[in-house]
Amino acid sequence: MSLKWKIAYLVLHPLFKWLFGAKVIGKENIPPHGPYIVAPNHTSFWDPPFVGWAMCPVETYFLAKIDLFVHNKLFGALIKFLHAIPLDRKNAIKGLKEGLRALNEGKVLVVFPEGTRNRTRDKILLPLKEGVAMLALKAKVNILPVFLYESKGSYRDWILRKRQLAIRFGEVIDTSGFTYSKEGIKSLTKELERRLLQLAKSNPT
């Protein structure tokens, strides 16, 4: 783990562990070394730092929408320093290529398979995009499914312990049985969706 990642962890640990009372479940399922893809659900802007903190000491890279780099240059520079890779949804190929490069270099890549934040009140997941499956099969890496509980809403509820912020790491999805084809990508996407919904039912609260 690099020095900058250690510093980031030391900054985030008091926030998530002590102030927010976050719970981490299934950490034994995290492979200690890459390459592989981490695939969490997405409901809040807190999700990327929460996942990064919970994954420590494993150092992670993130695909992040390009708007985060453009609208606030200082914030963009910070997240780029902490391994965020810009992804332009209008031209996703470039971002996916950068993600593929990171995987080919042995990195651990976090990709939110829904493609955007789930702002609905009643849907556990938005329909999954096929980018995670495509990247995994192209790079021949496995997928770690992750579910975040109660990450949407006011952080004051975490502080007052009205809601339990938690993250659960599922068992790794072995992608070796899927082919890099249109059907293979669809099948793997469905399997990832099934695993995420399975994790959602194990709400620790």
Side-chain angles (χ1 to χ4, degrees):
M1 187 164 63
S2 65
L3 177 60
K4 64 182 177 182
W5 209 251
K6 289 178 181 177
I7 293 173
Y9 178 79
L10 290 174
V11 170
L12 291 174
H13 188 71
L15 180 70
F16 284 112
K17 184 65 177 179
W18 301 332
L19 186 61
F20 293 163
K23 184 186 292 186
V24 180
I25 307 159
K27 193 149 186 171
E28 67 277 4
N29 290 324
I30 302 175
H33 306 290
Y36 59 90
I37 295 175
V38 181
N41 62 312
H42 194 15
T43 62
S44 166
F45 68 88
W46 286 104
D47 295 344
F50 186 27
V51 172
W53 167 76
M55 287 287 295
C56 278
V58 176
E59 198 162 341
T60 55
Y61 288 68
F62 292 80
L63 284 184
K65 64 179 182 179
I66 198 168
D67 299 13
L68 297 174
F69 299 83
V70 174
H71 296 320
N72 187 321
K73 298 291 186 182
L74 184 60
F75 181 72
L78 175 63
I79 61 174
K80 188 174 183 180
F81 178 70
L82 294 172
H83 305 330
I85 300 170
L87 178 65
D88 187 349
R89 291 170 185 160
K90 295 178 181 178
N91 182 21
I93 298 299
K94 184 178 179 181
L96 291 174
K97 282 183 177 179
E98 289 299 316
L100 183 61
R101 180 185 301 176
L103 290 169
N104 288 335
E105 291 174 353
K107 306 291 195 305
V108 176
L109 182 68
V110 178
V111 186
F112 294 99
E114 294 165 283
T116 188
R117 277 184 283 169
N118 181 357
R119 301 174 187 271
T120 67
R121 294 183 178 182
D122 56 342
K123 293 181 180 179
I124 298 174
L125 290 173
L126 296 176
L128 301 192
K129 307 294 184 183
E130 294 183 343
V132 170
M134 185 181 71
L135 274 175
L137 294 176
K138 181 70 173 177
K140 297 181 180 179
V141 301
N142 293 330
I143 301 171
L144 177 65
V146 181
F147 202 87
L148 291 84
Y149 308 92
E150 299 293 347
S151 66
K152 178 166 44 178
S154 173
Y155 66 88
R156 295 180 183 86
D157 289 345
W158 303 331
I159 296 172
L160 298 173
R161 303 302 191 261
K162 291 182 178 180
R163 293 186 296 121
Q164 175 64 65
L165 177 63
I167 182 170
R168 185 185 294 274
F169 294 96
E171 294 182 0
V172 168
I173 300 174
D174 182 355
T175 65
S176 61
F178 299 85
T179 59
Y180 182 62
S181 63
K182 187 175 181 179
E183 279 304 312
I185 290 170
K186 283 186 176 180
S187 295
L188 182 53
T189 301
K190 287 181 180 178
E191 176 61 15
L192 174 57
E193 182 181 53
R194 186 186 73 80
R195 294 286 196 96
L196 288 173
L197 291 173
Q198 190 178 53
L199 290 175
K201 294 177 182 178
S202 304
N203 193 327
T205 59

